[in-house]
Amino acid sequence: MIPRGATQRPAAGSVKLPVRTPEDIVRTRQFLREQAKAIGFSLVDQTKIVTAASELARNTLEYGGGGEVTIEVLNDGLRKGVRLAFNDRGPGIVDINLALKDGYTTGGGLGLGLSGAKRLSNEFSIESKPGEGTRVTITRWR
Ligand SMILES: Nc1ncnc2c1ncn2[C@@H]1O[C@H](COP(=O)(O)OP(=O)(O)O)[C@@H](O)[C@H]1O
Ligand SMILES: [Mg+2]
C-alpha cells in the first residue's frame, strides 16, 4: 500500500508521512509493519517497533499539534533496521529527563509512551526546544 504522502520515494530510501490525524497514525502503523516484515523482522520485533511508533505518533499529534514522521530502512552491510524520526513544531519539552520518567504526564495519559518507546528501541534520542518543537528518533535493528 502507498500511504497518503508517500507517493514520492526519495533516493535515500526514506519516506515522509504526515502525522496530523488519527488515520495518519493507522497508516503509519500499517506502512511500518510492512517495511519491518519486508526486511525480515520477526513478528515480535515488528510489534515492538510498531508499538513504539504508535506512542511517538500519538505524542506528535496530542502534544506537538501534528507533524510528520520520516521512515528509513537501513542496511549497514551487517544488519538491517528501521529508523523513525517524528518531528513537530509544537511547544517542545522543557525538561526531557522528566518527560522520560515512567508515569510522568502533562496530559492525563499513563506517562509510559516515551519511556516505553525507548525500551522497545535499540537507539533513542530526543531533541526539543521550548517554543520550537520536538524531534524523537528511534532505531530498531533486526
Ligand atoms: N511531541 C511532544 N511535544 C511536547 N511535549 C511532549 C511531546 N511528547 C511528549 N511530551 C511530553 O512528555 C510527557 C510524557 O509523554 P509520554 O511518556 O508519551 O506520556 P503521556 O503521553 O501518557 O503523557 C507528555 O505528557 C508531554 O508533557
Ligand atoms: Mg504519550
Side-chain angles (χ1 to χ4, degrees), residues 21-69:
T21 67
E23 294 72 36
D24 287 341
I25 297 182
V26 173
R27 272 188 284 268
T28 295
R29 290 175 58 106
Q30 288 171 345
F31 181 71
L32 177 60
R33 188 172 285 275
E34 283 170 16
Q35 297 299 308
K37 199 173 176 177
I39 61 173
F41 273 41
S42 69
L43 196 54
V44 168
D45 280 353
Q46 290 171 37
T47 301
K48 284 181 179 172
I49 192 70
V50 169
T51 302
S54 300
E55 290 297 333
L56 299 178
R58 219 168 287 143
N59 286 351
T60 297
L61 198 57
E62 285 177 14
Y63 301 112
E68 56 205 10
V69 57

Side-chain angles (χ1 to χ4, degrees), residues 55 59-60 62-64 88 91-93 99 104-107 109-115 134:
E55 290 297 333
N59 286 351
T60 297
E62 285 177 14
Y63 301 112
D88 65 64
I93 302 173
Y104 177 82
T105 179
T106 58
L110 291 176
L112 294 171
L114 287 176
S115 56
T134 300

